[in-house]
Structures are given as C-alpha cells and as structure tokens.
Amino acid sequence: MIQKLAKRLLLTLTVVSIGFAVWSYFATVHFECELSSKCLVTLETQPRGLNVIWCNYSGNIDHPRGVSQSLLNSSKCSWFPSINSFQNSGSSGASKYWVSSLAVRLPFWSLIVLLATYPLIIPALAWGCRRIRRRCLPIYACYLVALAVVPFTLIVAGLACYFVSMLMLFVGIPYAVRTPINFATIIVAIYVIAGFLYRYLIGPVNWMLCEQCGYDLTGNTSGVCPECGASLDSGHTLESYQDCP
Amino acid sequence: MKRRLRKRRVLKWIGVGLCVVSGSIWIACSIFNFGYAGSQIGALFSNGSMQIVWETNEEPDGWETWPSWPGSRRSAIGWPSVESYGESLLVEVPLWLLFGFPAILTILLFRMDRVADIKCLKCAFVFAGLERCPCPKCGEFT
C-alpha cells in the first residue's frame, strides 16, 4: 500500500517536473518568498534548470535581494546539480548587516531522473534485463549489458548521494560529519547497484517462479499464476530453457 | 574450466587493488590537497576529485602536498567537467566515479565466484561436497 502510494506520488511529481521543464524552456519565472522575518527564498527557472537562493540575513531586506540578484545573474544553471554557500557583510550608514546565502542549482534532467528512478527506471531496467535473460543469450552478453548499464546506474546513485549531501549542507551539518556520510552513501549505493545487476542480469534465475510474485509454478499447466493471477508466457516451462547456454 | 576460474580470480584481485588505490586517493584528497606539476601536464587532487591540466605553462616542480584550503571544502561527491582556458584544457574527474566503476565489477566477480562454489548456474543444484563440474543433475559445465 505504502509502496503503491509512493510510486504514484513520485510518478505525479515526475510528470509535473517534466511539464515544468518544458514550460521553463519557453518562459522564465522569478519567484520570491519571505519565509520568516529574516529568511528570504528566491527561485528562478532557466531553460536548463532551477536556481534557488536561500538567504538568512540581518538588517534591511534589500541586502539579501541584491545578493540573490547578483548570484542569479552571475552564473547559469550547469549540467550537474551544485550547491554553494556565500557570506556577505557590510554596513549601510550607521547599521551593519550580514547575509548568509546558499545557492542551489538544480538541472531538470537530474530532478526527473531522480524522481523517476523508483517508479519508472528500476522497473524498466528489471523488465529489460529479464527480456535479455529470456532470449537465452550467452552469459558474456549479459556481462556486456551489465558493463554498459554500470555508468548510468552510477550517475543515478551519484545524484541520490549528492541530494543527501545537499540536504546535509542545507541543514547545516559540519564538514567533518558530512564527508564520512558522503563516503558511506556512495559505498551503500555501489553495493545496492551490484546487488541489482547480479539479481537481474548475472545471477542464476529460477525460471519456474512467477515474474510478478515469485510463486513456484512447477507443474502449472493453466498458464495463470494461482497466487497473483498474472498470465504466463506460453513458453514458460523449464523445458523451454533447457537449451540455454 | 580451471583456466577460466583462474582468470576470474586474477581479475577480481586486480579489481580489489584498483578499488583500494582509488578509494585511498579519494579519502586522502578530501583531507589533503596534493598535486603534480610537470612541463606539459599537471594533476591536482582536491575535494574528492582529480583535475588534469594540459599545457600548464608553469615551471615543473614535481609532487607537492598541502592541507586543504578552508574555504574550498566542497562535497566529496563532485561531477565530471571539461573546461578550456586559452591554450590549456582542464578535465575534472570525480574520484567516486573512478572508485565506483571497478567496485561494482569487483563485487559482481566476487558474487559470481561465491555462487560457482555453491550452486549450478543452470539448475541451481547445490554442489556442497561434490566436484564442481559437470553438474550431476543437468550435466551442465558452468
């Protein structure tokens, strides 16, 4: 139930972000919001992605506005997500002020890939891998496919880890704590990717299990899984896979 | 069969070596900065990434190590980039990518070996206490 809800929510967000990306290609949106008395958030869409400037400040609101504008003007959204922190201070007349800002640049492709990973990309990859295995390709072909998929999966894992890292910087976790967590998230992501590739591409497959629910279909002649009701391919018998290399 | 197993064993230990080297450099360069300046090429390891510069136009002075700049502490997860400044070309390669690629392949090799020790790859017959090949159930040479 929770999985289904999460999938639907992520799918909806993916569609919304695709629409937003298309819209941003034709129009620039500038949005400013004062979250509390001393916190200003500025958002600007660019053809490549989103620019978000988060400012905590003291003094007049014109100072963070000026800083946000200069940060937005200074650089365009890059191909990869980035987060940078800046400190500005000075004095206007008799009063002193400071502005502490975080500039987040979020390309749309990274947002879409990250949102679509769980509801779309993982099921599509798993489906593709199952199709490849069912074609009874030699195991070396499966290794080659795994090798081709590794860079893409690494980029997705890197995006997820980078978002965790951004979140930590946003919350204000110090550098000495953030760095070991970065290493740990990357290592966990690598282990998960290897497990996925092994399970779907390289490891041994029990063809007599239902693809949907894993029910043991040995001796099944009806062509329908009695557990989940999924219809099976006509060739779903152990004999049809006996000749696989 | 034996030759194939031996090749896989060599490959997986090469993978472990690569992971150890790239992982150590990755961790080291997020604490220290170190770099090499040559006559044609320079390499800088800092903030978890490796930056290679061609046509440095600087005096070659070999390897150098220095503590991380306090202001330049970025995330240890960077992204690849290519930039050119006049005649020089700067290529930035994040070391987590250099660590991750051999790490995934090495984990796969280890897992494949573990299964080869236990089960037949075709019919999943358990080989415990038996010679590896051929499988007594399906006759497969896996």
Side-chain angles (χ1 to χ4, degrees):
Chain A
M1 182 70 181
I2 293 170
Q3 274 186 348
K4 252 186 193 174
L5 271 175
K7 269 189 183 179
R8 279 184 190 167
L9 182 70
L10 287 170
L11 211 57
T12 314
L13 286 174
T14 310
V15 173
V16 168
S17 44
I18 289 171
F20 203 56
V22 173
W23 183 37
S24 304
Y25 194 77
F26 298 104
T28 302
V29 178
H30 189 91
F31 176 77
E32 198 178 270
C33 176
E34 207 179 336
L35 284 187
S36 63
S37 59
K38 294 295 172 193
C39 178
L40 182 81
V41 179
T42 313
L43 186 145
E44 192 179 86
T45 61
Q46 289 179 353
R48 219 182 271 176
L50 282 176
N51 271 2
V52 183
I53 314 289
W54 183 286
C55 292
N56 289 313
Y57 64 96
S58 72
N60 198 330
I61 195 168
D62 291 335
H63 302 304
R65 273 193 184 136
V67 169
S68 304
Q69 203 52 51
S70 65
L71 284 174
L72 287 171
N73 292 338
S74 63
S75 65
K76 288 189 175 176
C77 193
S78 59
W79 284 110
F80 289 103
S82 67
I83 183 163
N84 295 302
S85 57
F86 301 94
Q87 304 284 339
N88 299 70
S89 58
S91 57
S92 58
S95 61
K96 286 185 176 178
Y97 71 90
W98 58 264
V99 180
S100 168
S101 50
L102 275 178
V104 181
R105 293 186 174 87
L106 210 60
F108 285 122
W109 74 266
S110 67
L111 199 63
I112 292 165
V113 165
L114 203 71
L115 289 171
T117 297
Y118 181 60
L120 283 177
I121 295 174
I122 290 177
L125 264 178
W127 181 84
C129 293
R130 269 206 300 267
R131 289 283 128 191
I132 288 166
R133 294 302 292 268
R134 286 207 155 198
R135 296 225 177 266
C136 296
L137 290 173
I139 192 74
Y140 285 107
C142 296
Y143 294 163
L144 283 178
V145 174
L147 207 63
V149 170
V150 165
F152 173 73
T153 50
L154 262 178
I155 291 288
V156 174
L159 278 180
C161 296
Y162 197 81
F163 272 80
V164 172
S165 167
M166 278 165 93
L167 201 69
M168 286 192 291
L169 189 63
F170 205 69
V171 171
I173 293 171
Y175 179 78
V177 181
R178 258 189 296 131
T179 308
I181 295 176
N182 282 340
F183 291 133
T185 47
I186 280 285
I187 288 164
V188 168
I190 283 168
Y191 199 76
V192 169
I193 291 170
F196 176 85
L197 291 177
Y198 181 79
R199 185 178 166 195
Y200 287 103
L201 265 177
I202 291 168
V205 181
N206 190 347
W207 297 108
M208 299 314 291
L209 301 181
C210 174
E211 280 185 13
Q212 297 278 334
C213 63
Y215 186 80
D216 193 344
L217 297 168
T218 309
N220 182 287
T221 51
S222 64
V224 177
C225 173
E227 179 76 6
C228 66
S231 61
L232 315 172
D233 292 351
S234 54
H236 194 98
T237 58
L238 184 61
E239 286 71 29
S240 61
Y241 298 103
Q242 287 290 345
D243 298 328
C244 290
Chain B
M1 169 67 191
K2 275 186 181 172
R3 192 177 294 164
R4 190 186 296 171
L5 271 181
R6 211 176 292 144
K7 203 196 292 174
R8 194 186 285 172
R9 209 164 283 166
V10 170
L11 272 176
K12 77 183 184 187
W13 287 111
I14 289 174
V16 169
L18 280 175
C19 290
V20 169
V21 170
S22 54
S24 312
I25 296 172
W26 181 32
I27 291 170
C29 76
S30 49
I31 303 166
F32 297 103
N33 290 344
F34 47 96
Y36 171 79
S39 56
Q40 288 291 315
I41 191 165
L44 170 70
F45 295 84
S46 73
N47 290 317
S49 68
M50 175 174 70
Q51 293 167 5
I52 302 169
V53 190
W54 275 275
E55 298 288 339
T56 53
N57 296 326
E58 284 178 17
E59 286 295 313
D61 56 356
W63 283 98
E64 208 175 329
T65 308
W66 62 96
S68 178
W69 298 297
S72 72
R73 286 177 166 181
R74 293 184 305 174
S75 162
I77 307 163
W79 300 105
S81 69
V82 180
E83 287 169 43
S84 61
Y85 300 100
E87 285 183 358
S88 40
L89 181 73
L90 180 101
V91 179
E92 187 170 351
V93 184
L95 286 163
W96 68 268
L97 270 180
L98 286 188
F99 168 74
F101 198 81
I104 289 177
L105 300 181
T106 311
I107 293 172
L108 286 179
L109 283 171
F110 267 92
R111 292 195 74 165
M112 277 153 60
D113 248 17
R114 198 176 65 186
V115 167
D117 285 344
I118 300 169
K119 289 176 182 174
C120 169
L121 286 175
K122 187 176 177 187
C123 66
F125 182 82
V126 178
F127 279 107
L130 293 170
E131 289 293 323
R132 274 184 185 141
C133 281
C135 171
K137 191 178 175 187
C138 65
E140 176 75 5
F141 285 85
T142 43

